[in-house]
């Protein structure tokens, strides 16, 4: 088979989309020496293409990176990409979300949908993105020969919102953690990392984009509530909240600045214990997880929630809200709270901090849960889906 994959997300720090693309291709390369892969990027400068090549670490001659221009986003998707796909005589084209609407009839089309949060929480999306998603996703799902949903939750959402034939939507779970998380992590490495970023107190961690649906104001407000309710509890007094995400990122939640201003005025001591870490390298991400007391994922809507697995893989317990895909991904290996109840979050977080038996139990279960998810398994199931479409 001649398979084309849209790899525009690679190199842009787009979190979930980039992780999916990187890990899928790395695993496909590892297990598939039979099919031909054409990896389409919209970057053209030698420096940018080199960066993409380094990130993918390609050694298999069956995988080729192809620069497609012009790079204007929608023009690239609707015109440049299908034109190149036809030139390369593809059997299958695999994209994420929005598909070309006019594609050679000989080419089968697959799209991966991570979530449809914009249909449930349109207020969390900027108007331009919302307009494009509303305009093109419905048409894309109709055009696609197969739709990959990254969880049962996402599959059910796609079917419910868009009334898609359930046989058209396949669940292929995202894989587990990247190779960086499988390497041994020493206490010395964690200590050096914490010194570098001046995070010397015990800390709760959030890692991800700072978009509105991540519900960071709820996390910050609950952290303040935890500190105030259990003042003079030494473990909680010394606790810091670390948020790894860029304030310059796409669709930044301005409510974060508003709540921080209020906290700085009213609780300056607690304000100093809320720390933002903008950029760290891929190699350092396991270290920021490993140093945490717990990982707090307060997002109100996710299609999968990979950071939960990343945290559990290094032996750090997780807490997430009881809605969305989280019960499906965590199983019984983490804490779930009512996302409309800050006090529920506070009490369960305190329990995670203080209850040694509970921590050990969740850490053990978390390490086992992570083994259920694998990028090699994801790649195998994706290839099988390609074969089903062709046959």
């Amino acid at each position: 088979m001649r398979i084309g994959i849209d790899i525009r997300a690679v190199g842009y720090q787009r979190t979930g989309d980039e992780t999916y693309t990187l890990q899928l291709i790395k695993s496909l390369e590892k297990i598939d020496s039979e099919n031909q892969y054409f990896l389409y990027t919209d970057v053209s400068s030698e420096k940018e293409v080199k960066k993409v090549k380094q990130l993918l670490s390609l050694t298999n001659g069956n995988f080729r990176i192809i620069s497609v221009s012009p790079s204007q986003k929608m023009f690239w998707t609707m015109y440049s990409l299908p034109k190149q796909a036809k030139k390369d005589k593809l059997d299958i084209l695999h994209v994420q979300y929005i598909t070309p609407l006019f594609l050679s009839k000989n080419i089968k089309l697959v799209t991966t949908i991570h979530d449809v949060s914009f249909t449930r929480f349109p207020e969390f999306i900027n108007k331009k993105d919302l307009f494009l998603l509303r305009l093109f996703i419905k048409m894309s799902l109709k055009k696609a020969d197969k739709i990959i949903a990254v969880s049962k939750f996402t599959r059910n959402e796609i079917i419910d919102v868009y009334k898609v034939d359930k046989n058209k939507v396949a669940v292929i779970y995202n894989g587990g953690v990247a190779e960086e998380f499988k390497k041994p992590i020493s206490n010395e490495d964690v200590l050096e990392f914490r010194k570098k970023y001046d995070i010397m107190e015990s800390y709760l961690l959030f890692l991800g984009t700072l978009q509105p649906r991540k519900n960071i104001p709820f996390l910050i407000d609950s952290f303040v509530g935890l500190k105030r309710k259990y003042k003079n509890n030494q473990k909680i007094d010394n606790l810091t909240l670390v948020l790894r995400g860029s304030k310059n990122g796409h669709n930044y939640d301005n409510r974060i600045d508003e709540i921080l201003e209020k906290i700085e005025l009213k609780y300056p001591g607690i304000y100093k214990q809320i720390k933002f870490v903008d950029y760290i390298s891929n190699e350092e991400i396991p270290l920021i997880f490993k140093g945490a007391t717990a990982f707090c994922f307060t997002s109100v809507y996710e299609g999968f929630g990979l950071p939960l697995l990343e945290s559990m893989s290094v032996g750090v317990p997780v807490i997430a809200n009881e809605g969305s895909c989280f019960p499906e991904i965590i199983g019984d290996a983490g804490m779930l709270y009512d996302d409309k109840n800050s006090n529920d979050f506070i009490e369960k977080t305190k329990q995670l901090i203080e209850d040694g038996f509970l921590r050990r139990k969740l850490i053990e279960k978390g390490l086992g849960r992570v083994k259920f998810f694998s990028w090699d398994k994801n790649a195998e199931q994706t290839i099988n889906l390609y074969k089903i479409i062709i046959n």
Side-chain angles (χ1 to χ4, degrees):
M1 290 183 291
R2 296 170 69 85
I3 302 161
I5 300 178
D6 176 357
I7 65 164
R8 281 178 296 171
V10 175
Y12 283 90
Q13 299 295 317
R14 290 178 182 166
T15 60
D17 290 1
E18 181 177 28
T19 299
Y20 174 83
T21 307
L22 275 172
Q23 299 305 327
L24 171 62
I25 290 170
K26 285 182 177 182
S27 292
L28 286 172
E29 189 196 28
K30 192 186 340 179
I31 67 173
D32 189 2
S33 58
E34 177 183 347
N35 297 299
Q36 298 291 320
Y37 289 88
F38 300 79
L39 310 179
Y40 298 124
T41 179
D42 60 355
V43 300
S44 55
S45 75
E46 187 176 334
K47 181 180 178 181
E48 289 174 316
V49 172
K50 185 178 179 181
K51 178 184 177 182
V52 171
K53 286 181 177 178
Q54 288 174 338
L55 287 168
L56 290 171
S57 307
L58 298 174
T59 57
N60 188 331
N62 290 1
F63 288 72
R64 294 169 50 201
I65 296 175
I66 299 174
S67 293
V68 180
S69 59
S71 61
Q72 196 280 330
K73 191 172 182 180
M74 290 309 298
F75 188 84
W76 192 93
T77 300
M78 298 301 168
Y79 176 76
S80 305
L81 179 59
K83 183 180 177 182
Q84 186 67 42
K86 183 178 181 180
K87 180 182 176 182
D88 292 331
K89 299 178 180 178
L90 295 186
D91 296 304
I92 290 175
L93 177 63
H94 186 171
V95 302
Q96 296 185 63
Y97 289 101
I98 296 174
T99 72
L101 298 183
F102 302 98
L103 190 65
S104 172
K105 63 181 180 180
N106 298 321
I107 302 173
K108 300 297 184 182
L109 186 57
V110 177
T111 185
T112 296
I113 304 293
H114 297 277
D115 66 69
V116 290
S117 58
F118 62 92
T119 66
R120 302 303 194 190
F121 298 95
E123 68 275 18
F124 290 166
I125 310 292
N126 69 48
K127 290 181 180 179
K128 181 183 175 183
D129 288 346
L130 187 60
F131 172 78
L132 291 173
L133 290 167
R134 281 177 168 168
L135 181 64
F136 288 111
I137 290 292
K138 186 175 183 178
M139 291 186 285
S140 295
L141 297 180
K142 185 176 181 179
K143 178 74 176 174
D145 293 282
K146 279 287 185 179
I147 301 160
I148 295 175
V150 298
S151 63
K152 292 176 183 176
F153 171 77
T154 295
R155 179 179 185 268
N156 292 339
E157 288 284 90
I158 292 169
I159 293 168
D160 181 55
V161 173
Y162 292 103
K163 313 307 176 189
V164 175
D165 179 355
K166 63 181 181 182
N167 295 316
K168 193 175 183 178
V169 190
V171 175
I172 300 180
Y173 282 117
N174 281 343
V177 298
E179 290 301 316
E180 289 85 0
F181 284 87
K182 299 176 183 178
K183 299 172 184 176
I185 301 174
S186 69
N187 292 333
E188 290 76 14
D189 289 338
V190 175
L191 182 59
E192 284 302 310
F193 170 83
R194 294 177 70 163
K195 285 180 180 176
K196 178 180 176 180
Y197 291 95
D198 190 26
I199 313 173
M200 298 311 296
E201 303 287 354
S202 58
Y203 62 93
L204 302 177
L205 174 67
F206 168 85
L207 181 145
T209 62
L210 302 180
Q211 297 177 357
R213 70 184 167 101
K214 302 297 182 178
N215 210 17
I216 303 304
F218 174 91
L219 175 57
I220 293 173
D221 187 57
S222 297
F223 176 72
V224 173
L226 175 70
K227 304 282 282 188
R228 293 186 64 221
K229 185 172 184 178
Y230 294 104
K231 191 176 180 180
N232 300 323
N233 178 317
Q234 188 174 1
K235 285 186 177 180
I236 292 173
D237 281 345
N238 293 334
L239 197 64
T240 298
L241 175 63
V242 174
L243 301 116
R244 188 273 182 180
S246 174
K247 289 189 174 185
N248 297 316
H250 180 65
N251 198 25
Y252 172 70
D253 186 353
N254 293 314
R255 296 177 304 158
I256 296 171
D257 294 331
E258 294 170 10
I259 194 170
L260 287 174
E261 286 177 12
K262 293 176 182 177
I263 293 167
E264 186 177 16
L265 288 171
K266 201 169 183 181
Y267 310 109
I270 299 176
Y271 174 80
K272 291 176 182 177
Q273 293 178 301
I274 301 171
K275 184 176 181 64
F276 286 82
V277 178
D278 189 347
Y279 175 77
I280 57 177
S281 68
N282 288 338
E283 291 73 24
E284 290 176 316
I285 289 176
L287 299 176
I288 198 171
F289 275 109
K290 184 66 174 177
T293 299
F295 177 67
C296 305
F297 210 33
T298 51
S299 177
V300 297
Y301 191 106
E302 295 290 329
F304 187 78
L306 182 60
L308 293 165
L309 299 183
E310 292 173 333
S311 184
M312 291 190 288
S313 75
V314 295
V316 173
V318 300
I319 179 167
N321 87 62
E322 62 191 12
S324 192
C325 67
F326 301 126
E328 178 184 353
I329 303 305
I330 294 174
D332 64 350
M335 299 280 278
L336 296 170
Y337 70 92
D338 179 355
D339 70 342
K340 295 178 178 62
N341 186 341
S342 178
N343 196 57
D344 190 36
F345 175 88
I346 288 169
E347 292 304 316
K348 286 178 177 173
T349 302
K350 178 178 181 286
Q351 196 178 356
L352 263 184
I353 293 167
E354 294 195 320
D355 189 334
F357 175 77
L358 174 66
R359 286 182 61 81
R360 289 190 295 273
K361 184 174 76 170
L362 291 179
I363 288 169
E364 182 181 351
K365 286 186 174 183
L367 292 169
R369 182 65 180 162
V370 171
K371 294 175 183 176
F372 177 78
F373 302 93
S374 157
W375 284 111
D376 285 352
K377 187 192 296 185
N378 175 286
E380 288 170 5
Q381 292 175 350
T382 301
I383 291 172
N384 288 338
L385 187 69
Y386 294 158
K387 290 177 180 176
I388 288 169
I389 296 169
I390 293 297
N391 292 333

